[in-house]
Amino acid sequence: MFEKVLIAEDHESASISVQKTLEEIGIARPDYVYYCDDALVRIQKAVETGQPYDLLITDLVFDSDHRKERLTDGAQLIRAAQAIDPSLPVLVFSAEGRIAVIETLYTLHQIDGYVQKGRGDATELKQALIQITGNQRYFPRFYIQATRRENVHDFEAFDIKIISLLAAGMRQKDIPDYLKRNKIKPDGLSSIEKRLKRMKEGLNFSTNEQLVAYCTEMGIV
């Protein structure tokens, strides 16, 4: 069971709710902060003193106020925290419901769990914490159902070639020249754009970066 937990949440009512849920499963007196910068300072000090946190629970959206912050959202905090402590488990607790955003958190940021704020979130939060404690990643039901329904694209050899080139760092506009040199058809930029659009729509992604990250995570490329 986790003993040292840090909560990054700028809404006091949500922070209190998370603390109460933690207490119910035996995790007493977690640390909590309202700003991402403060969270990172806590994580840094914990690592320096040899007493790193067992878990970071963070929201994604933090309201801006009079205070100037270097880290302005949860995704930035996660990246910065993992740079300091790569083994730090992360649970995101947010109102965000877009599948592509959540997919990015799992694939690019390697989060350990996601719980959407809303009806029944306390119960789900308990389930997520228990699962993460057992060294298992937690995937919310709505996310699993949505990805099963939306991940309908059947990758062809041409698709895999395009994704592989993007994953290797080639710019989209340079791919046609590569295809022409290697006598791969179709080799037009329009064909590539259409194929990428079809893949992203089938997988509910909005950017090439999300598509590449997903294909890499799933072993497609």
Side-chain angles (χ1 to χ4, degrees):
M1 182 62 68
F2 299 123
E3 295 182 359
K4 191 172 183 180
V5 177
L6 176 62
I7 303 168
E9 168 62 65
D10 61 345
H11 290 178
E12 186 175 3
S13 59
S15 177
I16 293 173
S17 176
V18 174
Q19 292 176 60
K20 183 178 179 181
T21 301
L22 289 169
E23 290 174 1
E24 290 176 357
I25 62 172
I27 303 175
R29 304 183 66 179
D31 294 334
Y32 60 90
V33 294
Y34 298 122
Y35 296 92
C36 293
D37 284 358
D38 290 346
L40 190 64
V41 169
R42 295 272 190 119
I43 293 168
Q44 178 75 60
K45 289 183 178 179
V47 170
E48 290 175 351
T49 58
Q51 297 179 320
Y53 282 99
D54 299 317
L55 176 69
L56 167 64
I57 302 176
T58 182
D59 196 352
L60 290 178
V61 178
F62 288 76
D63 296 335
S64 59
D65 58 17
H66 63 280
R67 176 171 165 174
K68 187 176 181 179
E69 294 289 301
R70 184 172 68 88
L71 304 175
T72 59
D73 61 51
Q76 292 177 359
L77 170 59
I78 293 169
R79 287 196 297 270
Q82 290 174 334
I84 295 172
D85 185 357
S87 63
L88 176 65
V90 177
L91 171 61
V92 175
F93 183 51
S94 172
E96 176 62 68
R98 289 174 292 176
I99 298 301
V101 173
I102 301 171
E103 179 77 18
T104 299
L105 292 170
Y106 279 110
T107 57
L108 288 184
H109 303 308
Q110 294 295 306
I111 66 169
D112 296 88
Y114 186 94
V115 175
Q116 186 178 29
K117 294 179 180 178
R119 188 178 294 111
D121 57 14
T123 299
E124 188 175 5
L125 190 58
K126 289 180 185 178
Q127 294 174 346
L129 288 165
I130 292 171
Q131 200 155 316
I132 296 172
T133 300
N135 294 318
Q136 295 181 337
R137 299 177 89 188
Y138 177 81
F139 297 90
R141 181 175 299 178
F142 83 93
Y143 169 78
I144 294 173
Q145 292 174 341
T147 51
R148 284 176 178 172
R149 182 177 65 252
E150 294 169 357
N151 290 352
V152 295
H153 185 79
D154 292 325
F155 288 89
E156 301 175 8
F158 185 68
D159 299 332
I160 296 173
K161 172 57 71 173
I162 294 174
I163 299 300
S164 297
L165 293 172
L166 290 174
M170 184 175 292
R171 294 178 298 180
Q172 182 175 321
K173 67 178 183 179
D174 295 331
I175 293 179
D177 289 338
Y178 173 90
L179 298 179
K180 290 174 183 176
R181 289 197 306 270
N182 290 274
K183 297 181 173 55
I184 300 174
K185 297 289 186 177
D187 56 18
L189 181 59
S190 177
S191 296
I192 294 168
E193 291 174 342
K194 289 178 181 178
R195 191 63 67 96
L196 284 169
K197 180 180 179 182
R198 189 173 74 182
M199 285 188 279
K200 286 183 289 189
E201 288 179 347
L203 294 163
N204 197 32
F205 293 138
S206 58
T207 67
N208 288 346
E209 289 77 13
Q210 292 170 335
L211 178 61
V212 171
Y214 171 82
C215 291
T216 302
E217 173 76 9
M218 300 303 294
I220 296 171
V221 297

